[in-house]
Coordinates of all heavy atoms in Angstrom, one line a residue:
M1 N 155.0 175.9 295.7 CA 156.1 176.1 294.9 C 155.7 176.1 293.4 O 155.1 175.2 293.0 CB 157.1 175.0 295.1 CG 158.4 175.2 294.4 SD 159.6 173.9 294.9 CE 160.4 173.5 293.4
P2 N 155.9 177.2 292.7 CA 155.5 177.3 291.3 C 156.2 176.3 290.5 O 157.4 176.0 290.6 CB 155.8 178.7 290.9 CG 156.8 179.2 291.8 CD 156.6 178.4 293.1
E3 N 155.4 175.7 289.5 CA 156.0 174.7 288.7 C 156.6 175.3 287.4 O 156.0 176.2 286.8 CB 154.8 173.8 288.3 CG 155.3 172.4 288.0 CD 154.0 171.5 287.8 OE1 153.0 172.1 287.5 OE2 154.2 170.3 287.8
D4 N 157.7 174.9 287.1 CA 158.3 175.4 285.8 C 157.9 174.4 284.7 O 158.4 173.3 284.6 CB 159.8 175.4 285.9 CG 160.5 176.0 284.7 OD1 159.7 176.3 283.7 OD2 161.7 176.2 284.7
V5 N 156.9 174.8 283.9 CA 156.4 173.9 282.9 C 157.4 173.5 281.9 O 157.2 172.4 281.2 CB 155.1 174.5 282.2 CG1 154.0 174.5 283.1 CG2 155.4 175.8 281.6
S6 N 158.4 174.3 281.7 CA 159.4 173.9 280.7 C 160.3 172.7 281.2 O 161.0 172.1 280.5 CB 160.3 175.1 280.4 OG 161.1 175.5 281.5
Q7 N 160.2 172.4 282.5 CA 160.9 171.3 283.1 C 160.1 170.0 283.1 O 160.6 169.1 283.7 CB 161.4 171.7 284.5 CG 162.3 172.9 284.6 CD 163.6 172.6 283.9 OE1 164.3 171.6 284.2 NE2 164.1 173.5 283.0
L8 N 158.9 170.1 282.6 CA 158.1 168.9 282.6 C 158.8 167.7 281.8 O 159.4 168.0 280.8 CB 156.8 169.1 281.9 CG 155.7 169.9 282.7 CD1 154.4 170.0 281.9 CD2 155.4 169.2 284.0
T9 N 158.6 166.6 282.3 CA 159.1 165.4 281.5 C 157.9 165.0 280.6 O 156.8 165.5 280.7 CB 159.4 164.2 282.4 OG1 158.1 163.8 283.1 CG2 160.4 164.6 283.5
C10 N 158.2 164.2 279.6 CA 157.2 163.7 278.7 C 156.1 163.0 279.4 O 154.9 163.2 279.1 CB 157.8 162.7 277.7 SG 159.0 163.5 276.5
D11 N 156.4 162.3 280.4 CA 155.4 161.6 281.2 C 154.5 162.5 281.9 O 153.3 162.4 281.8 CB 156.1 160.7 282.2 CG 155.1 159.8 282.9 OD1 154.4 159.1 282.3 OD2 155.1 159.8 284.2
Q12 N 155.0 163.6 282.5 CA 154.2 164.6 283.1 C 153.3 165.3 282.2 O 152.2 165.6 282.4 CB 155.1 165.6 283.9 CG 155.7 164.9 285.1 CD 156.8 165.9 285.8 OE1 157.6 166.5 285.1 NE2 156.7 166.0 287.1
F13 N 153.9 165.7 281.0 CA 153.2 166.4 280.0 C 152.0 165.5 279.5 O 150.9 166.0 279.3 CB 154.2 166.7 278.8 CG 153.5 167.4 277.7 CD1 153.2 168.8 277.8 CD2 153.2 166.7 276.5 CE1 152.6 169.4 276.7 CE2 152.6 167.4 275.4 CZ 152.3 168.7 275.5
Q14 N 152.3 164.3 279.2 CA 151.3 163.4 278.6 C 150.2 163.1 279.6 O 149.0 163.0 279.2 CB 151.9 162.1 278.1 CG 152.7 162.4 276.9 CD 153.7 161.2 276.6 OE1 153.5 160.1 277.0 NE2 154.7 161.5 275.8
R15 N 150.5 163.1 280.9 CA 149.5 162.9 281.9 C 148.5 164.0 282.0 O 147.4 163.8 282.4 CB 150.2 162.7 283.3 CG 150.3 161.2 283.6 CD 150.8 161.0 285.0 NE 152.0 160.2 285.0 CZ 152.6 159.9 286.1 NH1 152.1 160.2 287.2 NH2 153.7 159.1 286.0
R16 N 149.0 165.2 281.7 CA 148.0 166.4 281.8 C 147.6 166.8 280.4 O 147.1 167.9 280.2 CB 148.6 167.5 282.6 CG 149.9 168.1 282.1 CD 150.3 169.2 282.9 NE 150.6 168.8 284.3 CZ 151.0 169.6 285.2 NH1 151.1 170.9 285.0 NH2 151.3 169.1 286.4
L17 N 147.8 166.0 279.4 CA 147.5 166.3 278.1 C 146.0 166.7 277.9 O 145.6 167.7 277.3 CB 147.9 165.2 277.1 CG 147.9 165.5 275.6 CD1 148.8 166.7 275.4 CD2 148.5 164.3 274.9
C18 N 145.1 165.9 278.4 CA 143.7 166.1 278.3 C 143.3 167.5 278.9 O 142.6 168.2 278.3 CB 142.9 165.0 279.0 SG 142.9 163.5 278.1
E19 N 143.9 167.7 280.1 CA 143.7 169.0 280.8 C 144.2 170.1 279.9 O 143.5 171.2 279.8 CB 144.5 168.9 282.1 CG 144.3 170.0 283.1 CD 145.3 169.8 284.2 OE1 145.4 168.7 284.7 OE2 145.9 170.8 284.6
L20 N 145.3 170.0 279.3 CA 145.9 171.0 278.5 C 145.0 171.3 277.2 O 144.8 172.4 276.8 CB 147.3 170.7 278.1 CG 148.4 170.7 279.2 CD1 149.6 170.0 278.7 CD2 148.6 172.1 279.6
L21 N 144.6 170.2 276.6 CA 143.8 170.3 275.4 C 142.4 171.0 275.7 O 141.9 171.7 274.9 CB 143.6 169.0 274.7 CG 144.8 168.4 274.0 CD1 144.6 167.0 273.6 CD2 145.2 169.2 272.8
A22 N 142.0 170.7 276.9 CA 140.6 171.3 277.3 C 140.7 172.7 277.7 O 139.7 173.4 277.8 CB 140.0 170.4 278.4
S23 N 141.9 173.2 278.0 CA 142.1 174.5 278.5 C 142.0 175.5 277.4 O 142.1 175.2 276.2 CB 143.4 174.7 279.3 OG 144.5 174.7 278.4
D24 N 142.0 176.8 277.8 CA 141.9 177.9 276.8 C 143.3 178.1 276.1 O 143.4 178.7 275.1 CB 141.4 179.2 277.4 CG 140.0 179.1 277.9 OD1 139.3 178.3 277.3 OD2 139.6 179.8 278.8
Q25 N 144.3 177.7 276.8 CA 145.7 177.9 276.3 C 145.9 177.0 275.1 O 145.7 175.8 275.2 CB 146.7 177.6 277.4 CG 146.7 178.6 278.5 CD 147.3 179.9 278.1 OE1 148.2 179.9 277.3 NE2 146.8 181.0 278.7
P26 N 146.3 177.5 274.0 CA 146.6 176.6 272.8 C 147.8 175.7 273.2 O 148.8 176.2 273.8 CB 147.0 177.6 271.7 CG 147.2 178.9 272.3 CD 146.6 178.9 273.6
I27 N 147.7 174.5 272.9 CA 148.7 173.5 273.2 C 150.0 173.8 272.5 O 151.1 173.6 273.0 CB 148.3 172.1 272.8 CG1 149.2 171.0 273.4 CG2 148.2 171.9 271.3 CD1 148.9 170.7 274.9
E28 N 149.9 174.5 271.4 CA 151.1 174.9 270.6 C 152.0 175.9 271.4 O 153.2 176.0 271.1 CB 150.7 175.6 269.3 CG 150.1 174.6 268.3 CD 148.6 174.4 268.5 OE1 148.1 175.0 269.4 OE2 148.0 173.5 267.8
E29 N 151.4 176.6 272.4 CA 152.2 177.5 273.2 C 152.9 176.9 274.3 O 153.7 177.5 275.0 CB 151.2 178.6 273.7 CG 150.5 179.4 272.6 CD 151.5 180.2 271.8 OE1 152.4 180.9 272.4 OE2 151.4 180.2 270.6
H30 N 152.6 175.6 274.6 CA 153.2 175.0 275.7 C 154.7 174.8 275.5 O 155.1 174.3 274.4 CB 152.5 173.7 276.0 CG 152.8 173.1 277.3 ND1 154.0 172.5 277.6 CD2 152.1 173.1 278.5 CE1 154.0 172.1 278.9 NE2 152.8 172.5 279.4
P31 N 155.5 175.1 276.5 CA 157.0 175.0 276.3 C 157.4 173.6 276.0 O 158.3 173.4 275.2 CB 157.6 175.5 277.7 CG 156.5 176.3 278.3 CD 155.2 175.7 277.7
H32 N 156.8 172.6 276.6 CA 157.2 171.2 276.4 C 156.8 170.8 275.0 O 157.6 170.1 274.3 CB 156.6 170.3 277.4 CG 157.2 168.9 277.2 ND1 158.3 168.5 277.9 CD2 156.7 167.8 276.5 CE1 158.6 167.2 277.5 NE2 157.6 166.8 276.7
Y33 N 155.7 171.3 274.6 CA 155.2 171.0 273.2 C 156.2 171.5 272.2 O 156.6 170.9 271.2 CB 153.8 171.6 273.0 CG 153.2 171.3 271.6 CD1 152.4 170.2 271.3 CD2 153.5 172.2 270.6 CE1 151.9 170.0 270.1 CE2 152.9 172.0 269.3 CZ 152.2 170.9 269.1 OH 151.6 170.7 267.8
K34 N 156.7 172.7 272.4 CA 157.6 173.4 271.5 C 159.0 172.7 271.5 O 159.6 172.6 270.5 CB 157.8 174.8 271.9 CG 156.7 175.7 271.6 CD 157.1 177.2 272.0 CE 155.8 178.1 272.0 NZ 156.2 179.4 272.5
A35 N 159.3 172.2 272.7 CA 160.7 171.6 272.9 C 160.8 170.2 272.5 O 161.9 169.7 272.2 CB 161.1 171.8 274.3
C36 N 159.7 169.5 272.5 CA 159.7 168.0 272.4 C 159.0 167.5 271.1 O 157.8 167.6 271.1 CB 159.1 167.4 273.6 SG 159.2 165.6 273.6
I37 N 159.7 167.0 270.2 CA 159.1 166.5 269.0 C 158.3 165.3 269.2 O 157.3 165.1 268.5 CB 160.2 166.2 267.9 CG1 159.6 166.1 266.5 CG2 161.1 165.1 268.3 CD1 160.6 166.1 265.4
L38 N 158.7 164.5 270.1 CA 157.9 163.3 270.4 C 156.5 163.6 270.9 O 155.5 163.1 270.4 CB 158.6 162.4 271.5 CG 159.8 161.6 271.1 CD1 160.4 161.0 272.3 CD2 159.4 160.6 270.1
C39 N 156.4 164.6 271.8 CA 155.1 165.0 272.3 C 154.3 165.8 271.2 O 153.1 165.7 271.2 CB 155.2 165.8 273.5 SG 155.7 164.8 274.9
R40 N 155.0 166.4 270.3 CA 154.3 167.1 269.2 C 153.6 166.0 268.3 O 152.4 166.2 268.0 CB 155.2 167.9 268.3 CG 155.5 169.3 268.9 CD 155.9 170.3 267.8 NE 157.1 169.9 267.1 CZ 158.3 170.2 267.6 NH1 158.4 170.9 268.7 NH2 159.4 169.9 266.9
Y41 N 154.3 165.0 268.0 CA 153.6 163.9 267.3 C 152.5 163.3 268.0 O 151.4 163.0 267.5 CB 154.7 162.8 266.9 CG 155.5 163.1 265.7 CD1 156.9 163.3 265.8 CD2 154.9 163.3 264.5 CE1 157.7 163.6 264.7 CE2 155.7 163.6 263.3 CZ 157.0 163.7 263.5 OH 157.8 164.0 262.4
L42 N 152.7 163.1 269.3 CA 151.7 162.5 270.1 C 150.4 163.4 270.2 O 149.3 162.9 270.0 CB 152.2 162.3 271.5 CG 151.3 161.5 272.5 CD1 152.0 160.3 272.9 CD2 151.0 162.3 273.7
V43 N 150.6 164.7 270.3 CA 149.5 165.6 270.4 C 148.8 165.6 269.1 O 147.5 165.6 269.0 CB 150.0 167.0 270.8 CG1 148.9 168.0 270.6 CG2 150.4 167.0 272.2
R44 N 149.5 165.6 268.0 CA 148.9 165.7 266.7 C 148.0 164.4 266.5 O 146.9 164.5 266.0 CB 150.0 165.8 265.6 CG 149.5 166.6 264.5 CD 150.7 166.9 263.5 NE 151.8 167.6 264.1 CZ 153.0 167.6 263.6 NH1 153.3 166.9 262.5 NH2 154.0 168.3 264.1
G45 N 148.5 163.3 266.8 CA 147.8 162.1 266.7 C 146.5 162.1 267.6 O 145.4 161.7 267.2
F46 N 146.7 162.7 268.7 CA 145.6 162.8 269.7 C 144.5 163.7 269.1 O 143.3 163.4 269.2 CB 146.2 163.4 271.0 CG 145.4 163.1 272.2 CD1 145.5 161.8 272.8 CD2 144.6 164.0 272.8 CE1 144.8 161.5 273.9 CE2 143.8 163.7 273.9 CZ 143.9 162.5 274.5
E47 N 144.9 164.8 268.6 CA 144.0 165.8 268.0 C 143.2 165.2 266.8 O 142.0 165.4 266.6 CB 144.7 167.1 267.6 CG 145.1 167.9 268.9 CD 145.8 169.2 268.5 OE1 146.5 169.2 267.5 OE2 145.7 170.1 269.3
E48 N 144.0 164.5 266.0 CA 143.3 163.8 264.8 C 142.3 162.9 265.3 O 141.2 162.8 264.7 CB 144.4 163.1 264.0 CG 145.1 164.1 263.0 CD 146.2 163.4 262.3 OE1 146.2 162.2 262.2 OE2 147.1 164.1 261.8
M49 N 142.6 162.1 266.4 CA 141.7 161.2 266.9 C 140.4 161.9 267.4 O 139.3 161.4 267.2 CB 142.4 160.4 268.0 CG 141.6 159.2 268.4 SD 142.5 158.4 269.8 CE 142.1 159.4 271.1
I50 N 140.6 163.0 268.1 CA 139.5 163.7 268.6 C 138.6 164.3 267.5 O 137.4 164.1 267.5 CB 139.9 164.9 269.5 CG1 140.6 164.4 270.8 CG2 138.8 165.9 269.8 CD1 141.3 165.4 271.6
E51 N 139.2 164.8 266.5 CA 138.5 165.4 265.3 C 137.7 164.3 264.6 O 136.5 164.5 264.2 CB 139.4 166.0 264.3 CG 139.9 167.4 264.9 CD 140.9 168.0 263.9 OE1 140.8 167.7 262.7 OE2 141.7 168.9 264.3
R52 N 138.3 163.1 264.5 CA 137.6 162.0 263.9 C 136.4 161.6 264.7 O 135.3 161.3 264.2 CB 138.6 160.8 263.7 CG 138.4 160.1 262.4 CD 139.6 159.2 262.1 NE 140.8 160.0 261.9 CZ 142.1 159.5 262.1 NH1 142.2 158.3 262.6 NH2 143.1 160.2 261.9
T53 N 136.7 161.6 266.1 CA 135.6 161.2 267.0 C 134.4 162.1 266.9 O 133.3 161.8 267.0 CB 136.1 161.1 268.4 OG1 137.3 160.2 268.4 CG2 135.1 160.6 269.4
L54 N 134.7 163.4 266.7 CA 133.7 164.4 266.6 C 132.9 164.4 265.3 O 132.0 165.1 265.1 CB 134.3 165.8 266.8 CG 134.8 166.1 268.2 CD1 135.5 167.5 268.2 CD2 133.7 166.1 269.2
G55 N 133.4 163.5 264.4 CA 132.7 163.3 263.2 C 133.0 164.4 262.1 O 132.1 164.8 261.3
E56 N 134.2 164.8 262.1 CA 134.7 165.8 261.1 C 133.8 167.0 261.0 O 133.4 167.4 259.9 CB 134.7 165.1 259.7 CG 135.9 164.1 259.6 CD 135.4 162.7 260.0 OE1 134.2 162.4 259.9 OE2 136.3 161.9 260.4
Q57 N 133.4 167.5 262.1 CA 132.5 168.7 262.1 C 133.4 170.0 261.9 O 132.9 171.0 261.5 CB 131.8 168.9 263.4 CG 130.8 167.8 263.7 CD 130.3 167.7 265.1 OE1 130.7 168.5 265.9 NE2 129.4 166.8 265.4
L58 N 134.6 169.8 262.1 CA 135.5 171.0 262.0 C 135.9 171.2 260.5 O 135.9 170.2 259.8 CB 136.8 170.8 262.8 CG 136.5 170.5 264.3 CD1 137.8 170.0 265.0 CD2 136.0 171.7 265.0
D59 N 136.2 172.4 260.2 CA 136.7 172.6 258.8 C 138.0 171.9 258.6 O 138.9 171.9 259.4 CB 136.9 174.1 258.6 CG 135.6 174.9 258.7 OD1 134.6 174.3 258.3 OD2 135.6 176.1 259.0
P60 N 138.1 171.3 257.4 CA 139.4 170.7 257.1 C 140.5 171.7 257.0 O 140.3 172.7 256.4 CB 139.1 170.0 255.8 CG 137.9 170.6 255.2 CD 137.1 171.2 256.4
K61 N 141.6 171.4 257.6 CA 142.7 172.3 257.6 C 143.6 172.0 256.4 O 143.5 170.9 255.8 CB 143.6 172.1 258.9 CG 142.8 172.5 260.1 CD 143.8 172.4 261.3 CE 143.0 172.6 262.6 NZ 142.7 171.4 263.3
D62 N 144.4 173.0 256.0 CA 145.3 172.8 254.9 C 146.2 171.6 255.1 O 146.7 171.5 256.2 CB 146.1 174.1 254.7 CG 145.2 175.2 254.1 OD1 144.2 174.9 253.6 OD2 145.6 176.4 254.3
G63 N 146.4 170.9 254.1 CA 147.3 169.7 254.3 C 146.6 168.5 254.8 O 147.2 167.5 254.8
Q64 N 145.4 168.7 255.3 CA 144.7 167.5 255.7 C 143.6 167.1 254.7 O 142.9 167.9 254.2 CB 144.0 167.8 257.1 CG 145.0 167.7 258.2 CD 144.3 167.9 259.5 OE1 143.1 168.3 259.6 NE2 144.9 167.5 260.6
E65 N 143.6 165.8 254.5 CA 142.6 165.4 253.5 C 141.2 165.4 254.1 O 140.9 164.8 255.2 CB 142.9 163.9 253.2 CG 142.1 163.4 252.0 CD 142.5 162.0 251.7 OE1 143.5 161.5 252.1 OE2 141.6 161.4 251.0
P66 N 140.3 166.2 253.5 CA 139.0 166.3 254.1 C 138.2 165.0 253.8 O 138.3 164.4 252.8 CB 138.4 167.5 253.3 CG 139.1 167.6 252.0 CD 140.5 167.0 252.3
K67 N 137.6 164.6 254.9 CA 136.8 163.4 254.8 C 135.3 163.8 254.8 O 134.8 164.3 255.8 CB 137.1 162.5 256.0 CG 138.2 161.5 255.7 CD 138.2 160.6 256.9 CE 139.2 159.5 256.8 NZ 139.1 158.7 258.1
R68 N 134.6 163.6 253.7 CA 133.2 164.0 253.7 C 132.4 162.8 254.0 O 132.6 161.7 253.5 CB 132.9 164.6 252.3 CG 133.8 165.8 251.9 CD 133.5 167.0 252.8 NE 132.1 167.4 252.7 CZ 131.6 168.3 251.9 NH1 132.5 168.9 251.1 NH2 130.4 168.7 251.9
K69 N 131.4 163.1 254.8 CA 130.5 162.0 255.2 C 129.1 162.6 254.9 O 128.2 162.4 255.7 CB 130.6 161.6 256.6 CG 131.8 160.6 256.8 CD 131.7 160.0 258.2 CE 132.9 159.1 258.4 NZ 132.9 158.6 259.8
D70 N 128.9 163.2 253.8 CA 127.6 163.8 253.5 C 126.5 162.7 253.2 O 125.4 162.8 253.6 CB 127.7 164.8 252.4 CG 128.5 166.0 252.7 OD1 128.6 166.3 253.9 OD2 129.0 166.6 251.8
D71 N 127.1 161.7 252.5 CA 126.1 160.7 252.0 C 126.4 159.4 252.8 O 127.4 158.8 252.7 CB 126.3 160.4 250.6 CG 126.1 161.7 249.7 OD1 125.0 162.3 250.0 OD2 126.9 162.0 248.9
W72 N 125.4 159.2 253.7 CA 125.5 157.9 254.4 C 125.0 156.8 253.5 O 124.0 157.0 252.7 CB 124.7 157.9 255.6 CG 125.3 158.8 256.7 CD1 125.0 160.2 256.8 CD2 126.2 158.5 257.7 NE1 125.7 160.7 257.8 CE2 126.5 159.7 258.4 CE3 126.8 157.3 258.1 CZ2 127.3 159.7 259.5 CZ3 127.7 157.3 259.1 CH2 127.9 158.5 259.8
P73 N 125.6 155.7 253.5 CA 125.1 154.6 252.7 C 123.7 154.2 253.2 O 123.5 154.0 254.3 CB 126.2 153.5 252.9 CG 126.9 153.8 254.1 CD 126.8 155.3 254.2
E74 N 122.9 154.1 252.2 CA 121.5 153.7 252.6 C 121.4 152.2 252.7 O 121.8 151.5 251.9 CB 120.5 154.2 251.5 CG 120.3 155.7 251.6 CD 119.4 156.2 250.5 OE1 118.3 155.6 250.4 OE2 119.7 157.2 249.9
A75 N 120.7 151.8 253.8 CA 120.5 150.4 254.0 C 119.2 150.0 253.1 O 118.2 150.5 253.4 CB 120.2 150.1 255.4
T76 N 119.5 149.2 252.2 CA 118.3 148.8 251.3 C 118.0 147.3 251.5 O 118.9 146.6 251.8 CB 118.6 149.1 249.8 OG1 119.9 148.6 249.5 CG2 118.6 150.6 249.5
Ligands
LIG1 ZN1 157.9 165.2 275.5

């Protein structure tokens, strides 16, 4: 039986969030993401966490404060 993704509950959406973020489909296109402000906030926090974990290798997006880590503090 095909699943209607627009009928997903927040719980179902959040459970497959990792899967969705890892897929080729942009999360912004997901019907539940579009419909649910709670999950939008959740995804945004999740993505920020991932970007931070990756060490800010990605280009800073508009509206986001770029964090530069060019200079590591030297242990003297
Ligand atoms: Zn939701």
Side-chain angles (χ1 to χ4, degrees):
M1 187 171 137
E3 208 175 17
D4 185 354
V5 288
S6 64
Q7 297 294 312
L8 281 182
T9 64
C10 290
D11 187 53
Q12 288 172 316
F13 178 78
Q14 287 163 23
R15 262 187 237 183
R16 62 177 64 180
L17 194 53
C18 287
E19 190 186 315
L20 291 167
L21 287 171
S23 76
D24 292 335
Q25 292 286 327
I27 192 82
E28 290 82 5
E29 298 294 316
H30 195 282
H32 187 88
Y33 181 91
K34 289 183 191 173
C36 179
I37 192 166
L38 283 175
C39 288
R40 277 207 296 279
Y41 276 119
L42 188 115
V43 168
R44 216 172 297 162
F46 205 77
E47 287 179 331
E48 278 174 21
M49 195 180 75
I50 291 171
E51 285 179 24
R52 221 166 292 155
T53 305
L54 290 175
E56 289 93 22
Q57 292 168 0
L58 304 169
D59 291 332
K61 296 182 184 106
D62 289 338
Q64 282 187 343
E65 192 181 339
K67 272 190 177 175
R68 302 294 300 266
K69 279 191 182 174
D70 293 337
D71 299 313
W72 290 90
E74 287 180 46
T76 49

